[in-house]
């Protein structure tokens, strides 16, 4: 056999990282791009700009790195004229691409296949030699190979992740052609430098790379570690990614993380009809203080979504969207597009009063209101309303500032003035007389509310009340037909200054979620004739899914200590209490407990069916109420009811029609609007 010592296979400048990335869809750079780019169309624009900058940086880093391999075979000397392999060895990669269409590629017999280092010597680490040998698929001893098969095995060695370069060299021996893969292993991982990661926890970064310390850097495992870092950002909606990777001398791995910080936030008002930019009535600072995204922080799409929902809950916007736009130096500008709702107007409607159970109109109420949602462009609310029924009426003025300026705790303030007249039948009415008593109240006060913690809020307030009882001619009276007192002071009116404290827990916010309310009121006797008492009231509700149905459990209770007016007693029975009874006909007590269970199930579209059972008791406290109005009217003090009904969703809230039986075998229809209290 002739000698071909001057035959060699030399390296060319074909870069492995970019093909490696293109062949692996899980590469962190491409994965981050695809996930973020698919999030929203607006984000895609920023991603393209952001990624183009990152790609340039990545390309410059990779060009400096040593992650090169040979993938070209060429021949030197006059062997081309003598050796049968000359046509095979003279093919470059470009020519090989044209030869792929040929069915018959000439093959060269290889007698031996070895893995050596770049100097042709055995590798110090036999485990790496075994990894490279295991990656070979086509190149086996005593096999006839083509250029394409050798090239594919070169890529398989590189794709194993342990080597930075691989060069196949053909050596002619007396036994035949020996094919030597000269490889250069990656360095051992000795340290990590991460730049630009301002929000990524250092511990998470260390944990991602911990298993690789002191080991040969494997590009596949490195890919997985980078993917975990990018996934950490994606799970939190943060607009960031690992944009460059470089292996420095000494086994130091350098990561460059690009985090898009918010550079500027602006508000753009759009016309609700044309969509064109227009002048807004709301002050921009009123909107900006509602959002949690601030200048200088890494932009989070999840936080941006919450900001949109927060601005919508202000009640003054019809539509809200956030459009990220690329800014200089890799930052991002946020433009919030808002469409304002009409800020004020008049409205009219109607409803049902559960306190009216007799008469031709049976509690029908008409209402008229004026509201302004955005007073002074500061999201402050003004409501002036009038409700008028057969007996009861309510005149109310409310002024609410949802967020007091200068307060960082989101404290709201409400100023209220109200003049109301409600039926006295709940406490004092029955078939024997006094069915037309009305309780008049003039109240005015101020309340402050603020979030305490997630899902919890608190309210404190001070309310003054001037209240008394009138007969059907509107004349103030102090005793009923049983000669029982109607006021606590013995005068025609009782005056009370109430200090109020309330805490509320709400689950998801819908009616079926968990809820807890604790309300405490204290009468402050600043003047001798003012009433002094303490009233505590609590309500709790829990919803449980049972297949397509839902079980609702609720319980409420309260107690009063001190000198209070009889009409302030807890009334038990009625549509929002124990169904099957008239309003207040179970009892009127100083204490009470009412429990209810309901099973609701879908029937058709917005219609639901419901089966319910209620129980209420005054805990034997009826006689302790001044004048014992319940005992005089022979109210049982406790009772239960059960029945069935339907619910229909409407713009006014759920319309409830229920048919109930009580423990006295009486039957009664109940109609209501809205959820039970």
């Amino acid at each position: 056999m002739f000698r071909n010592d001057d035959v060699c296979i030399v390296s060319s400048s074909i870069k492995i990282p970019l093909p490696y990335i293109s062949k692996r869809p899980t590469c962190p750079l491409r994965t981050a791009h695809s996930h973020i780019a698919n999030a929203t169309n607006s984000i895609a624009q920023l991603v393209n700009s952001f990624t183009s900058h990152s790609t340039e940086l990545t390309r410059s880093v990779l060009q400096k790195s040593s992650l090169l391999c040979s993938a070209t075979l060429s021949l030197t000397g006059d062997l081309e004229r003598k050796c049968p392999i000359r046509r095979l060895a003279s093919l470059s990669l470009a020519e090989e691409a044209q030869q792929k269409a040929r069915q018959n590629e000439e093959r060269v017999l290889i007698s031996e296949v070895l893995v050596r280092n770049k100097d042709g010597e055995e590798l110090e680490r036999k485990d790496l030699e075994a990894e490279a040998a295991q990656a070979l698929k086509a190149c086996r001893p005593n096999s006839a190979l083509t250029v394409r098969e050798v090239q594919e095995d070169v890529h398989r060695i590189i794709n194993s992740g342990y080597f930075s370069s691989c060069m196949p060299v053909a050596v002619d021996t007396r036994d035949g052609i020996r094919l030597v893969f000269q490889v250069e292993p990656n360095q051992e991982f000795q340290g990590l430098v991460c730049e630009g990661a301002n929000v990524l926890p250092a511990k998470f970064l260390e944990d991602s790379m911990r298993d690789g310390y002191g080991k040969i850097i494997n590009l596949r495992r490195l890919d997985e570690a980078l993917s975990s870092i990018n996934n950490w950002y994606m799970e939190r909606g943060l607009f960031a990614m690992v944009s460059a990777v470089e292996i420095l001398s000494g086994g130091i791995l350098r990561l460059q993380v690009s985090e898009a910080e918010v550079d500027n936030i602006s508000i753009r008002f759009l016309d609700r009809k044309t969509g064109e930019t227009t002048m807004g009535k709301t002050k921009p600072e009123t909107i900006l203080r509602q959002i949690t995204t601030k200048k200088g922080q890494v932009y989070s799409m999840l936080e941006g979504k919450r900001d949109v929902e927060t601005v919508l809950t202000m009640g003054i916007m019809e539509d809200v969207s956030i459009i990220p736009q690329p800014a200089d130096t890799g930052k991002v500008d946020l433009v919030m597009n808002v469409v304002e709702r009409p800020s004020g107007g008049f409205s009219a409607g109607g409803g049902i009063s559960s306190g009216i159970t007799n008469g031709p109109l049976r509690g029908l109420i008409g209402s008229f209101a004026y509201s302004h949602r955005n007073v002074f462009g500061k999201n402050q609310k003004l409501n002036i309303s009038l409700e008028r029924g057969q007996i009861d009426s309510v005149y109310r003025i409310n002024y609410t500032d949802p967020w007091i300026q200068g307060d960082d705790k989101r404290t709201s303030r409400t100023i209220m003035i109200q003049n109301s007249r409600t039926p006295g039948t709940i406490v004092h009415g029955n078939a024997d007389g006094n069915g037309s008593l009305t309780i008049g109240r003039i109240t005015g006060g101020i309340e402050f509310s603020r979030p305490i913690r997630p899902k919890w809020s608190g309210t404190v307030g001070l309310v003054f009340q001037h209240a008394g009882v009138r007969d059907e001619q509107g004349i103030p009276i102090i005793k009923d037909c049983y000669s029982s007192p109607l006021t606590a002071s013995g005068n025609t009116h009782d005056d009370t200054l109430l200090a109020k404290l309330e805490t509320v827990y709400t689950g998801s916010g819908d009616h079926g979620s968990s809820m807890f309310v604790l309300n405490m009121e204290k009468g402050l006797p600043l003047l001798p004739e003012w009433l002094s008492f303490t009233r505590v009231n609590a309500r709790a509700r829990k919803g449980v899914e049972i297949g397509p149905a839902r079980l609702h459990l609720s319980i409420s209770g309260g107690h009063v200590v001190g000198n209070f007016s009889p009409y302030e007693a807890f009334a038990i029975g009625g549509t929002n209490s124990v169904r099957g009874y008239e309003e207040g006909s179970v009892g009127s007590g100083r204490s009470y407990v009412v429990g209810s269970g309901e099973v609701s199930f879908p029937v058709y579209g917005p219609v639901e069916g419901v089966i319910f059972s209620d129980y209420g008791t005054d805990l034997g406290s009826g006689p302790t109420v001044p004048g014992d109005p319940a005992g005089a009217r022979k109210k049982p003090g406790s009772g239960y009811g059960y029945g069935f009904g339907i619910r229909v969703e409407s713009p006014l809230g759920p319309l409830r029609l229920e048919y109930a039986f009580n423990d006295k075998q009486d039957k009664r229809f109940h109609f209501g609007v809205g959820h039970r209290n």
Side-chain angles (χ1 to χ4, degrees):
M1 181 178 291
F2 55 84
R3 296 187 60 83
N4 54 357
D5 293 336
D6 55 347
V7 176
C8 66
I9 304 173
V10 299
S11 64
S12 67
S13 58
I14 294 181
K15 214 167 3 182
I16 286 303
L18 294 182
Y20 177 71
I21 289 173
S22 67
K23 291 181 180 180
R24 292 182 51 81
T26 57
C27 172
L29 301 183
R30 296 179 64 85
T31 303
H33 181 278
S34 62
H35 279 276
I36 297 177
N38 291 334
T40 58
N41 291 334
S42 59
I43 295 297
Q45 298 175 357
L46 180 56
V47 171
N48 292 335
S49 173
F50 189 70
T51 310
S52 63
H53 171 74
S54 301
T55 305
E56 291 296 331
L57 180 58
T58 305
R59 184 175 294 111
S60 65
V61 170
L62 291 175
Q63 286 173 349
K64 296 178 182 179
S65 69
S66 59
L67 303 182
L68 302 175
C69 83
S70 68
T72 303
L73 297 176
S74 62
L75 290 177
T76 60
D78 62 351
L79 182 64
E80 183 176 356
R81 295 184 300 272
K82 301 184 298 180
C83 180
I85 200 174
R86 62 186 183 277
R87 289 192 301 273
L88 168 65
S90 64
L91 291 177
S92 65
L93 282 181
E95 293 169 339
E96 178 190 343
Q98 298 174 0
Q99 296 292 335
K100 285 183 179 180
R102 297 180 181 178
Q103 296 181 354
N104 298 317
E105 245 185 1
E106 295 194 39
R107 295 179 176 272
V108 176
L109 181 63
I110 302 297
S111 62
E112 187 177 10
V113 178
L114 298 176
V115 177
R116 294 291 185 263
N117 63 18
K118 61 181 180 179
D119 297 324
E121 300 174 351
E122 292 187 5
L123 272 67
E124 295 181 2
R125 296 188 52 164
K126 296 302 179 181
D127 57 334
L128 294 179
E129 182 177 329
E131 290 286 349
Q134 187 177 358
L136 299 176
K137 299 299 181 184
C139 298
R140 300 295 183 185
N142 300 319
S143 59
L145 303 175
T146 65
V147 173
R148 177 177 55 81
E149 290 172 335
V150 174
Q151 178 190 359
E152 289 175 350
D153 272 354
V154 168
H155 285 292
R156 289 189 183 102
I157 291 176
I158 291 297
N159 288 340
S160 69
Y162 289 100
F163 305 97
S164 60
S165 67
C166 176
M167 181 174 64
V169 176
V171 180
D172 188 21
T173 68
R174 67 178 60 187
D175 296 326
I177 296 178
R178 175 189 299 156
L179 182 59
V180 180
F181 290 93
Q182 295 184 353
V183 297
E184 183 177 0
N186 293 327
Q187 303 178 63
E188 289 187 358
F189 180 38
Q190 299 297 337
L192 175 67
V193 175
C194 186
E195 301 175 356
N198 297 318
V199 298
L200 183 68
K203 186 177 185 306
F204 179 86
L205 186 61
E206 293 173 0
D207 292 343
S208 300
M209 310 297 295
R210 187 183 304 278
D211 294 340
Y213 279 103
K215 301 178 182 178
I216 294 293
I217 296 175
N218 184 286
L219 298 183
R220 289 180 176 272
R221 294 195 182 96
L222 177 60
D223 181 21
E224 295 173 358
L226 299 182
S227 295
S228 69
I229 294 173
N230 286 329
N231 288 337
W232 185 92
Y233 283 113
M234 293 176 193
E235 290 170 359
R236 289 153 183 80
L238 296 172
F239 196 51
M241 69 177 78
V242 178
S243 57
V245 182
E246 184 178 5
I247 302 176
L248 306 177
S249 61
I252 304 299
L253 189 65
R254 175 182 173 270
L255 303 183
Q256 178 66 46
V257 177
S258 298
E259 298 177 343
E261 295 182 355
V262 177
D263 187 47
N264 187 43
I265 306 175
S266 59
I267 306 296
R268 182 166 59 192
F269 295 91
L270 303 180
D271 186 89
R272 60 196 303 265
K273 294 182 179 179
T274 65
E276 300 294 331
T277 303
T278 185
M279 294 292 295
K281 298 178 181 178
T282 307
K283 295 183 180 299
E285 57 269 21
T286 300
I287 302 174
L288 291 175
R289 70 174 181 169
Q290 297 285 339
I291 65 178
T292 55
T293 301
K294 303 298 180 184
K295 181 178 180 179
Q297 72 181 58
V298 179
Y299 176 57
S300 166
M301 290 179 286
L302 296 180
E303 192 170 354
K305 180 181 178 182
R306 290 193 294 267
D307 287 339
V308 168
E309 294 172 350
T310 299
V311 174
L312 285 173
T313 57
M314 295 170 64
I316 59 176
M317 300 300 171
E318 189 173 281
D319 189 29
V320 180
S321 62
I322 295 180
I323 308 298
Q325 296 181 345
D328 296 335
T329 65
K331 295 186 177 182
V332 59
D333 288 337
L334 300 182
V335 178
M336 178 175 284
N337 292 328
V338 297
V339 179
E340 292 180 305
R341 300 173 62 183
S343 57
F346 294 91
S347 62
I352 298 293
S353 170
S354 60
I356 301 295
T357 59
N358 297 301
L361 301 181
R362 285 186 80 105
L364 183 64
I365 296 176
S367 64
F368 179 80
Y370 170 79
S371 63
H372 197 296
R373 303 185 183 94
N374 198 11
V375 180
F376 307 124
K378 296 182 178 181
N379 193 32
Q380 298 175 2
K381 321 290 185 183
L382 173 64
N383 290 281
I384 303 174
S385 63
L386 164 64
E387 296 178 1
R388 190 73 172 88
Q390 179 183 358
I391 294 177
D392 47 348
S393 63
V394 179
Y395 304 87
R396 183 185 297 113
I397 300 176
N398 273 25
Y399 185 81
T400 301
D401 186 349
W403 190 347
I404 300 174
Q405 187 172 2
D407 176 76
D408 60 348
K409 305 297 184 180
R410 292 181 175 264
T411 303
S412 67
R413 176 181 58 224
T414 299
I415 301 173
M416 176 268 299
I417 300 174
Q418 179 175 294
N419 185 352
S420 65
R421 188 177 67 172
T422 57
T425 55
I426 294 178
V427 176
H428 295 280
N430 68 352
D432 296 333
N434 292 123
S436 300
L437 293 180
T438 58
I439 302 169
R441 294 181 176 89
I442 299 176
T443 57
I446 185 171
E447 293 181 353
F448 296 90
S449 300
R450 54 165 287 193
I452 301 175
R453 54 182 304 178
K455 300 184 180 181
W456 286 90
S457 62
T459 300
V460 296
L462 199 62
V463 179
F464 180 79
Q465 176 177 278
H466 178 77
V469 181
R470 296 175 180 269
D471 62 14
E472 56 187 0
Q473 282 81 34
I475 300 174
I477 56 176
I478 60 175
K479 291 184 181 294
D480 62 10
C481 62
Y482 295 95
S483 297
S484 298
L486 296 174
T487 61
S489 63
N491 301 322
T492 56
H493 290 87
D494 290 328
D495 292 329
T496 310
L497 181 64
L498 290 172
K500 176 182 178 180
L501 175 63
E502 182 178 77
T503 181
V504 178
Y505 169 84
T506 55
S508 61
D510 59 20
H511 178 66
S513 65
S514 300
M515 180 272 293
F516 175 75
V517 178
L518 177 63
N519 181 283
M520 294 180 286
E521 294 176 325
K522 173 66 176 176
L524 305 177
L526 299 186
L527 296 179
E529 62 272 20
W530 290 4
L531 301 185
S532 175
F533 63 88
T534 302
R535 175 167 49 205
V536 179
N537 194 15
R539 306 193 310 273
R541 181 186 67 221
K542 177 68 175 180
V544 180
E545 297 284 351
I546 307 176
R550 190 174 184 89
L551 172 64
H552 302 268
L553 300 174
S554 63
I555 187 170
S556 59
H559 182 66
V560 183
V561 177
N563 183 26
F564 69 103
S565 305
Y567 50 79
E568 298 287 358
F570 295 112
I572 309 168
T575 302
N576 289 316
S577 182
V578 180
R579 285 161 286 190
Y581 282 91
E582 291 190 18
E583 303 297 323
S585 61
V586 173
S588 303
R590 182 183 289 266
S591 305
Y592 87 104
V593 172
V594 171
S596 177
E598 294 184 350
V599 177
S600 60
F601 49 89
V603 176
Y604 180 78
V607 181
E608 281 188 338
V610 62
I611 302 173
F612 60 84
S613 177
D614 306 323
Y615 174 78
T617 175
D618 64 3
L619 301 174
S621 64
T624 65
V625 176
D628 188 14
R633 292 159 176 80
K634 296 182 171 54
K635 297 182 180 182
S638 64
Y640 65 86
Y642 57 92
F644 56 89
I646 60 172
R647 309 274 171 83
V648 181
E649 289 294 332
S650 74
L652 300 176
L655 304 179
R656 299 156 40 208
L657 178 62
E658 299 157 339
Y659 188 65
F661 306 83
N662 65 22
D663 52 335
K664 306 298 183 184
Q665 303 306 312
D666 295 330
K667 298 176 282 291
R668 188 173 190 84
F669 277 104
H670 294 273
F671 179 76
V673 179
H675 295 290
R676 281 167 51 88
N677 295 331

